[in-house]
Amino acid sequence: MESLPQNNSSKIKSNFFSLSTLALISFFVMVFVMGLLKIYSPDLGFHLKSAQWMLQNKRFIYTDSFSFGAQGLPYFDLQWLYQLLIYSLYKKGEATLVIVNALLITCSLILVWFRFIKNTGIANNNIKMGIFAFISLLLVQPLSFEIRPHVLSWIYLNFLLLFLESYKRNGNKRFLYLLPLIMLMWVNSHSLAIIGLVIIAIYNTGYYLEKRKLDKRFLLFSIFCLVAFIINPYLFEGLLYPFKQLGIISGNNLFKSYIGEFQSPFTYQEILALGSKYFTSPLLLIHVSAAFSLFSIFRSLMQKQFTDALLLTAFLIVLYLGHKNYGYFLMVSLPLIIKYAFAWFEARHNKKQVQKISPTAKNKTVQAQIQVSLPPAQQAFYKRLSIAAVILAILISITSITDGYQIFRTSPYRFGVSSSKDDLPIEATAFLLKNNIKGKLLNHLDYGGYLMYHYNEKVYIDGRLELMENDFFKTYYESVTERNGFKKLLDAYNPDIVIFPYVKARAWWLHFISTKNQSGYKPVYFDGLSVIYLKSSAFPQFAEIAEKDIMKTIDPTAYMRINESIETSKPGRFVVLINGLWQKQSFSITNQNKATYCFTNGFDSAAISYSVMGIENSTVRTPNIFKNLSLYFKDKKMYNEAQLCEDKSDGSN
């Protein structure tokens, strides 16, 4: 009889161990699955082009020759090592690149876990795993999984912090020798390696504030790290270059106004624009993590942990500067946030237990007995956290594979290991190549990287904003924001070929539509993302897009199913998330955009057909399709049908 409680206790401990381990493994599997997204990065192309050029010419790049906007200007290609890496992976296949990128991001968070277990006062490993898995699972949701140099930066950053924390905690001097090596690799992989120097400076400052003296050995190795930073193809100019990038994201300039990821996540306008969707958006979790960070700063200052306080403060400021910096913020702050949140919770819990047993008890023996009796009760709470983490990780993993989770979050990116035709001008570029269309190219900024590598011609503009002169970018910026801005650009540049995403670049599209017979350009190709206009005098052999040609490529019976389609009811985002547990979910952005293109150009039959296919091929509501149909039916004075579509256009039916 005496052995029964002991066996049960052992069984509970074993179960908790299994659950907490499973929670941690489930979290890492979830991160990897979330990273398996179709390639959507508009900048990947210029990284591939740079690597290709270096291999062909067997030297580093010092001036740009890939774009009209930066022609002949200095090109500080500090990410050359990263570019060679992804180029070698890309040559093995798109799937290889996507999988390795997902693995690198997962490895970054595994390193965050190692830093957490080494730098926390939690003795129970089960509790460590459970609480880390649960909080990390929530805060990792806003993380970008884009294929970009930041992914390598996160790896270097974590190793740097792991070694610095080990030195601070245990005085482990052998890791100091690795710091200059990390900085040498980092500065030649990404221009934002300057973050590493900032972290080293913070550790020097924190040590002085905590010990009231300088660590001369560490200071010496900090100087070695600065020297290592200068060992790059551009020497001292490479050291100064990141400050130019910092100026782009820190000030109120046109670059920051145009690029969404450069804008601060703490603007009231963005919350207002999201409306009720804010509560299911990643932005909410960014704000939650920032609130946790503020709390942790306060707690660390109370405990005179100045290094932690400085790190948390610095990277909260980094996050404030732009959405794109959330990854850096998360990698640095996540272990500290969990550590201070756990310590606060345990302190409150222990205090309540002391007061509950003996409100006036101050005897240390009594308090020690209470501390010993706490773990079983606490264990139940952290066990529930592990269970929640396992369930959520499994749900997110499954629905990420079926795209239900992405649709629920209104994310435009989809699960897969190939390139995304909804985000990159894949089909439009193939049309140019197939028909051997060459000439002076005017492209949208989002297309520059892809065209640079795959079209293999000089582009007008691409995502390397720091290369461009302000006047050049101002002309481009005005072309997409001002009424007559595009006409000025068109007249000044006089291109033979114009390619852009017609839904996004409305100013460009509106100009061509409103000056259809006077512009001197004709649309010769469109798909679910892009439209191509050619100069009529330069390409007389290509016919302008006509509805009869479009109808030849469409299901001829689709037009006849319009009444059936507008009466169809599709579920909302939450139901799509649930349905994603057992079947693939979809939202046909291609057909929606094609319908918009055809309605705008007066191709009503084609537009109706695309609308029908868009509704049929989507497992979720398509309010924009119904909004267009409502306008169409109103114009035809078919008011019953128009009202039915109007009711569905708000997404609530």
Side-chain angles (χ1 to χ4, degrees):
M1 295 296 292
E2 291 295 325
S3 63
L4 184 59
Q6 200 171 28
N7 289 340
N8 286 340
S9 176
S10 177
K11 184 176 180 181
I12 291 171
K13 185 176 181 180
S14 177
N15 287 340
F16 186 30
F17 172 79
S18 299
L19 278 171
S20 58
T21 305
L22 182 60
L24 190 63
I25 293 172
S26 299
F27 166 68
F28 291 130
V29 170
M30 180 204 74
V31 170
F32 175 71
V33 170
M34 289 181 69
L36 297 178
L37 293 174
K38 290 184 178 180
I39 298 172
Y40 64 87
S41 175
D43 295 339
L44 176 62
F46 72 67
H47 290 304
L48 296 174
K49 183 67 177 179
S50 297
Q52 183 187 61
W53 189 96
M54 284 186 286
L55 291 172
Q56 289 175 348
N57 292 274
K58 295 181 175 55
R59 59 190 177 94
F60 296 114
I61 305 173
Y62 291 94
T63 57
D64 181 69
S65 60
F66 305 144
S67 70
F68 174 81
Q71 174 68 31
L73 294 177
Y75 181 11
F76 296 98
D77 188 23
L78 290 173
Q79 49 264 15
W80 64 272
L81 200 57
Y82 170 79
Q83 291 168 344
L84 293 175
L85 171 64
I86 62 166
Y87 182 75
S88 64
L89 294 171
Y90 189 82
K91 296 299 285 185
K92 295 179 184 297
E94 292 179 338
T96 302
L97 179 57
V98 171
I99 291 170
V100 171
N101 188 69
L103 283 171
L104 287 173
I105 295 173
T106 306
C107 287
S108 294
L109 287 159
I110 291 174
L111 289 171
V112 171
W113 157 247
F114 281 131
R115 287 172 44 220
F116 173 70
I117 60 173
K118 297 290 186 182
N119 199 34
T120 182
I122 307 173
N124 190 313
N125 283 329
N126 296 329
I127 291 177
K128 286 181 184 178
M129 287 187 280
I131 193 171
F132 179 87
F134 182 77
I135 295 180
S136 299
L137 182 145
L138 297 178
L139 299 188
V140 81
Q141 299 307 314
L143 190 66
S144 170
F145 291 90
E146 186 177 351
I147 299 173
R148 60 195 310 176
H150 298 72
V151 174
L152 271 189
S153 277
W154 297 342
I155 296 284
Y156 296 133
L157 184 152
N158 273 296
F159 272 120
L160 187 71
L161 285 169
L162 188 65
F163 297 154
L164 288 172
E165 289 161 0
S166 176
Y167 176 69
K168 181 187 175 186
R169 184 175 59 254
N170 303 321
N172 198 332
K173 298 176 182 178
R174 69 178 185 274
F175 285 135
L176 289 180
Y177 294 94
L178 295 174
L179 299 184
L181 178 61
I182 292 173
M183 290 308 306
L184 177 63
M185 295 290 291
W186 196 349
V187 72
N188 289 286
S189 300
H190 192 200
S191 56
L192 288 182
I194 193 75
I195 288 174
L197 295 182
V198 171
I199 290 173
I200 291 170
I202 286 174
Y203 267 84
N204 275 287
T205 306
Y207 184 90
Y208 176 78
L209 293 174
E210 291 165 7
K211 305 291 185 180
R212 295 300 173 183
K213 63 178 182 178
L214 288 174
D215 184 336
K216 294 181 181 179
R217 177 184 291 270
F218 181 48
L219 188 59
L220 178 63
F221 276 91
S222 300
I223 295 172
F224 291 159
C225 289
L226 179 60
V227 172
F229 194 93
I230 300 172
I231 304 175
N232 65 78
Y234 313 97
L235 301 176
F236 285 98
E237 288 182 298
L239 176 63
L240 299 175
Y241 177 68
F243 292 99
K244 182 177 181 180
Q245 291 183 301
L246 181 63
I248 292 176
I249 65 173
S250 62
N252 293 319
N253 52 49
L254 294 181
F255 297 118
K256 190 166 184 176
S257 299
Y258 183 73
I259 306 297
E261 66 175 19
F262 287 169
Q263 296 170 15
S264 174
F266 302 102
T267 59
Y268 177 71
Q269 292 83 353
E270 187 169 5
I271 299 174
L272 203 63
L274 285 170
S276 61
K277 293 180 181 178
Y278 169 74
F279 297 100
T280 57
S281 73
L283 186 63
L284 173 63
L285 292 173
I286 291 178
H287 293 162
V288 169
S289 63
F292 274 127
S293 183
L294 284 171
F295 173 79
S296 300
I297 292 169
F298 174 74
R299 295 289 297 179
S300 60
L301 287 173
M302 287 183 63
Q303 298 173 26
K304 297 184 178 180
Q305 296 295 314
F306 297 115
T307 304
D308 289 351
L310 287 170
L311 280 172
L312 288 164
T313 302
F315 282 86
L316 186 58
I317 294 171
V318 167
L319 174 61
Y320 175 80
L321 293 177
H323 278 271
K324 66 178 294 185
N325 299 328
Y326 183 75
Y328 296 108
F329 166 82
L330 187 71
M331 299 299 163
V332 172
S333 304
L334 181 58
L336 300 175
I337 286 172
I338 300 174
K339 181 178 78 170
Y340 285 107
F342 175 84
W344 175 80
F345 177 80
E346 288 296 280
R348 284 179 57 86
H349 186 82
N350 293 344
K351 184 177 180 180
K352 287 180 181 179
Q353 290 296 317
V354 171
Q355 293 174 345
K356 184 176 180 181
I357 294 178
S358 176
T360 60
K362 295 184 180 180
N363 185 288
K364 293 183 179 180
T365 304
V366 174
Q367 291 191 18
Q369 290 173 347
I370 292 170
Q371 293 290 337
V372 171
S373 67
L374 284 177
Q378 293 172 334
Q379 192 174 20
F381 171 74
Y382 292 112
K383 181 178 179 181
R384 287 192 289 270
L385 279 187
S386 294
I387 294 171
V390 170
I391 293 172
L392 286 173
I394 291 173
L395 291 177
I396 292 173
S397 297
I398 294 173
T399 54
S400 292
I401 294 171
T402 63
D403 287 329
Y405 187 56
Q406 290 88 324
I407 293 173
F408 171 74
R409 299 173 65 192
T410 63
S411 169
Y413 312 124
R414 297 293 179 260
F415 179 83
V417 292
S418 59
S419 292
S420 171
K421 294 181 180 179
D422 290 337
D423 300 288
L424 300 172
I426 298 170
E427 295 176 324
T429 304
F431 174 83
L432 292 173
L433 292 172
K434 179 182 177 181
N435 292 280
N436 195 29
I437 300 174
K438 304 289 184 180
K440 195 176 184 181
L441 182 71
L442 175 60
N443 62 279
H444 189 270
L445 186 147
D446 289 355
Y447 285 8
Y450 187 87
L451 290 165
M452 188 185 294
Y453 179 71
H454 294 275
Y455 183 49
N456 200 29
E457 295 288 329
K458 187 179 294 185
V459 300
Y460 175 73
I461 194 171
D462 64 275
R464 299 168 301 161
L465 301 182
E466 63 276 8
L467 270 65
M468 302 173 200
E469 295 179 337
N470 288 336
D471 289 343
F472 174 84
F473 186 77
K474 183 181 179 183
T475 301
Y476 174 82
Y477 179 81
E478 290 174 350
S479 78
V480 295
T481 57
E482 296 187 2
R483 183 176 181 84
N484 295 316
F486 181 64
K487 184 180 185 306
K488 294 177 183 177
L489 173 60
L490 204 62
D491 292 343
Y493 187 57
N494 191 28
D496 300 309
I497 309 161
V498 185
I499 177 172
F500 58 94
Y502 51 88
V503 172
K504 184 173 183 178
R506 291 181 178 273
W508 291 21
W509 194 25
L510 178 61
H511 172 80
F512 280 128
I513 292 173
S514 61
T515 61
K516 183 175 181 180
N517 298 321
Q518 298 85 30
S519 69
Y521 292 85
K522 57 186 175 182
V524 299
Y525 172 87
F526 88 104
D527 55 38
L529 177 66
S530 312
V531 63
I532 298 175
Y533 280 84
L534 299 180
K535 184 182 287 186
S536 300
S537 58
F539 299 95
Q541 69 274 31
F542 290 96
E544 185 173 337
I545 296 172
E547 184 173 25
K548 60 182 179 62
D549 297 320
I550 297 173
M551 294 301 292
K552 293 176 183 177
T553 65
I554 299 176
D555 177 4
T557 65
Y559 182 86
M560 306 302 295
R561 299 194 298 273
I562 181 61
N563 290 330
E564 178 184 346
S565 295
I566 64 176
E567 293 176 357
T568 300
S569 294
K570 293 291 178 73
R573 290 185 297 132
F574 183 75
V575 176
V576 166
L577 178 65
I578 301 302
N579 291 341
L581 290 171
W582 58 82
Q583 67 179 128
K584 190 75 172 176
Q585 301 299 300
S586 61
F587 174 71
S588 186
I589 186 67
T590 294
N591 286 314
Q592 175 180 282
N593 287 349
K594 285 183 175 180
T596 298
Y597 180 89
C598 291
F599 271 132
T600 304
N601 284 279
F603 304 154
D604 290 348
S605 296
I608 294 293
S609 298
Y610 281 127
S611 297
V612 169
M613 291 188 289
I615 296 169
E616 292 176 345
N617 294 335
S618 299
T619 58
V620 68
R621 295 168 185 162
T622 53
N624 287 338
I625 290 179
F626 282 107
K627 185 176 182 179
N628 286 335
L629 287 172
S630 174
L631 295 173
Y632 167 79
F633 285 126
K634 284 180 182 178
D635 186 59
K636 299 297 182 182
K637 303 188 185 309
M638 301 169 67
Y639 297 113
N640 290 335
E641 290 84 351
Q643 186 59 53
L644 180 60
C645 293
E646 181 70 26
D647 293 340
K648 292 176 179 288
S649 68
D650 63 0
S652 62
N653 293 297

